[in-house]
């Protein structure tokens, strides 16, 4: 079922680091993996710096493998870890790796290493924007209740040029009834300022997909939920 919306971009900015990507528990765990003595005794304000300093005691490939192993311990084999650790030094894995579901994690790994090594790894850049969607019928906002990524991405796509990568690679999914990749493209979605007929979404994604949304004007568009989301209702 198609729903009609007015789409208005309220803000747009670039991010070099995703909010809450790493916390003190992560820094302590990484220090423990590097055999640092008593990471629990480090002051909270010093944990990040100490973790980064310890990381740079390693060769870049070894550091990359260690952080990848920490984040993807159950998802990557030893051989994959070795390969990705070397690729990470020169390639934007959060854009180029075929496993989209790992892109946000690759971004976070690269960001930590980029900062620790003062730019020896690729420069990560994401985008964050607020977008207001207003429904012709307030009941249509329910399309975002179950799995918002696919219907929201279908609304964002018309704000991009027809030649945008999203259209070229996922045209069938945008028009179709299943867009399994959508949550791997829209990394973080936070609804706010909800009224009877509108909601504001704070969206974080790679600039690889949505950099050009900064040019979007207010426009009208239609969207629909994936079949799986509709079946769950």
């Amino acid at each position: 079922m198609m729903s009609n919306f007015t789409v208005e971009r309220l803000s747009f900015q670039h991010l070099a680091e995703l909010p809450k990507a790493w916390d003190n528990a992560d820094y302590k765990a990484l220090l423990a993996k590097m055999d640092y003595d008593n990471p629990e005794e480090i002051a909270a304000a010093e944990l990040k710096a100490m973790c980064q300093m310890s990381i740079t005691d390693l060769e870049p490939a070894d550091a990359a493998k260690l952080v990848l192993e920490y984040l993807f311990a159950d998802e990557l084999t030893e051989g994959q870890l070795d390969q990705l650790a070397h690729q990470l030094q020169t390639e934007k894995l959060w854009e180029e790796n075929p496993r989209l579901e790992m892109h946000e994690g690759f971004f976070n790994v690269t960001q930590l290493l980029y900062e620790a090594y003062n730019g020896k790894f690729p420069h990560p850049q994401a985008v964050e924007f607020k977008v207001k969607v207003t429904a012709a019928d307030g009941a249509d906002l329910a399309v975002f209740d179950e799995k918002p990524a696919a219907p929201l991405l279908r609304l964002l796509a018309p704000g991009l040029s027809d030649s945008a990568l999203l259209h070229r690679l996922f045209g069938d999914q945008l028009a179709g009834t299943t867009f399994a990749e959508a949550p791997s493209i829209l990394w973080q979605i936070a609804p706010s300022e909800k009224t009877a007929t509108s909601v504001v979404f704070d969206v974080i994604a790679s600039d690889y997909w949505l950099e050009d949304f900064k040019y979007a004007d207010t426009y009208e568009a239609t969207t629909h939920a994936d079949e799986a989301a509709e079946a769950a209702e």
Side-chain angles (χ1 to χ4, degrees), residues 33-229:
K33 280 182 68 67
M34 292 181 279
D35 297 322
Y36 189 96
D37 291 335
N38 302 317
E40 295 291 337
E41 297 179 2
I42 303 172
E46 300 174 4
L47 270 169
K48 179 179 179 180
M50 188 61 68
C51 181
Q52 291 179 331
M53 188 182 305
S54 296
I55 283 173
T56 56
D57 286 339
L58 304 173
E59 290 297 318
D62 294 332
K65 182 177 180 180
L66 181 138
V67 183
L68 283 167
E69 187 176 39
Y70 170 69
L71 205 60
F72 297 115
D74 300 324
E75 300 167 70
L76 297 171
T77 66
E78 188 74 12
Q80 289 171 328
L81 285 168
D82 288 330
Q83 181 181 20
L84 290 168
H86 285 90
Q87 291 177 343
L88 203 70
Q89 297 174 72
T90 57
E91 299 177 23
K92 296 181 177 181
L93 293 184
W94 68 92
E95 298 177 358
E96 300 169 15
N97 190 275
R99 297 183 64 177
L100 267 70
E101 74 277 8
M102 302 178 77
H103 279 194
E104 184 177 0
F106 287 143
F107 184 96
N108 291 333
V109 171
T110 308
Q111 174 268 314
L112 182 65
L113 296 168
Y114 176 86
E115 188 174 344
Y117 282 94
N118 292 317
K120 287 185 179 180
F121 285 78
H123 179 224
Q125 182 167 274
V127 297
E128 179 179 25
F129 56 87
K130 289 184 181 292
V131 59
K132 182 178 181 180
V133 297
T134 303
D137 181 344
D140 290 341
L141 290 174
V143 74
F144 304 111
D145 287 348
E146 292 289 335
K147 298 179 180 179
L152 181 57
L153 197 51
R154 291 185 176 108
L155 277 187
L156 299 177
L160 308 173
S161 70
D162 292 341
S163 62
L165 196 62
L166 189 65
H167 289 292
R168 288 189 280 119
L169 295 185
F170 293 108
D172 290 343
Q173 289 89 333
L174 288 167
T177 56
T178 303
F179 199 164
E181 300 87 352
S184 300
I185 295 173
L186 299 182
W187 292 341
Q188 298 181 28
I189 304 170
S192 65
E193 301 178 39
K194 190 171 184 178
T195 72
T197 57
S198 70
V199 60
V200 173
F201 289 102
D202 191 340
V203 179
I204 294 177
S206 170
D207 64 350
Y208 184 65
W209 299 109
L210 289 166
E211 170 70 18
D212 287 350
F213 194 72
K214 65 185 178 185
Y215 301 119
D217 294 320
T218 301
Y219 57 91
E220 305 292 322
T222 61
T223 192
H224 57 279
D226 276 3
E227 283 185 342

